[in-house]
Amino acid sequence: MMQITTALFAITYLVAASIITYTLFSRFAWRDRVSWVLIGVGFMLIALALQVVVQAVPFLVLILTHIRNVLINASSAAGAVLGFVRSNIYLASIYMGLVAGASQEIFRYLAVRDREPRSTLYIGYGFALVDVAFTIMSVVLPLLIPTPINPALITPQ
């Protein structure tokens, strides 16, 4: 029950923040700037696609180095990746964060480069909308997975 309450609070906050920002933009400064927001959304989606691919490279290399075990037992791939992440949790976290930051900031720069300075606020809003959507999905999707598959939802008795 606690996870559902937390998820509802998180979703409410994210949706309310997006609505308030949209209201402020539309009331004070919007004036046909929807295309700039769509540019931000588009560049963020491209950045996330590249980010996912680059973040998966070390795990793909790990699986390819243990390809014989993976072909014999498919679950050994998950075990190898999980074992690697557990033994190198700090390294994996730093790598994932650096890749995420670099890809998103590079594409944010490419999105605002050579544009008028007023457009940067709207392009940034487009980036934020994609972040909000992915955050909501990361909160909601674990709640949709059945309890026997998702051990995070099992409560001690």
Side-chain angles (χ1 to χ4, degrees), residues 18-62:
S18 297
I19 290 171
I20 290 169
T21 305
Y22 175 78
T23 304
L24 290 174
F25 275 176
S26 66
R27 186 152 188 90
F28 299 113
W30 198 257
R31 311 289 183 255
D32 297 326
R33 304 297 193 253
V34 175
S35 62
W36 288 342
V37 174
L38 293 177
I39 288 170
V41 168
F43 271 90
M44 181 62 163
L45 291 175
I46 294 170
L48 287 175
L50 178 69
Q51 173 186 330
V52 168
V53 170
V54 174
Q55 284 177 335
V57 167
F59 305 116
L60 182 62
V61 169
L62 180 69

Side-chain angles (χ1 to χ4, degrees), residues 47-103:
L48 287 175
L50 178 69
Q51 173 186 330
V52 168
V53 170
V54 174
Q55 284 177 335
V57 167
F59 305 116
L60 182 62
V61 169
L62 180 69
I63 290 172
L64 290 176
T65 57
H66 295 90
I67 193 71
R68 178 176 289 162
N69 296 339
V70 171
L71 291 176
I72 294 170
N73 183 6
S75 66
S76 68
V81 170
L82 189 58
F84 174 78
V85 169
R86 282 185 180 158
S87 63
N88 299 301
I89 189 70
Y90 297 115
L91 227 52
S93 299
I94 290 170
Y95 174 75
M96 298 292 230
L98 284 174
V99 169
S103 68

Side-chain angles (χ1 to χ4, degrees), residues 88-122:
N88 299 301
I89 189 70
Y90 297 115
L91 227 52
S93 299
I94 290 170
Y95 174 75
M96 298 292 230
L98 284 174
V99 169
S103 68
Q104 291 179 23
E105 293 306 320
I106 287 170
F107 277 91
R108 188 170 292 133
Y109 169 74
L110 293 174
V112 300
R113 182 187 63 176
D114 299 332
R115 296 193 195 281
E116 60 183 276
R118 288 185 334 199
S119 69
T120 59
L121 181 65
Y122 300 99

Side-chain angles (χ1 to χ4, degrees), residues 3 135-147 150 152-153:
Q3 289 89 0
T135 304
I136 288 173
M137 285 190 316
S138 72
V139 169
V140 171
L141 289 179
L143 295 174
L144 299 177
I145 298 173
T147 304
N150 187 351
L153 295 179

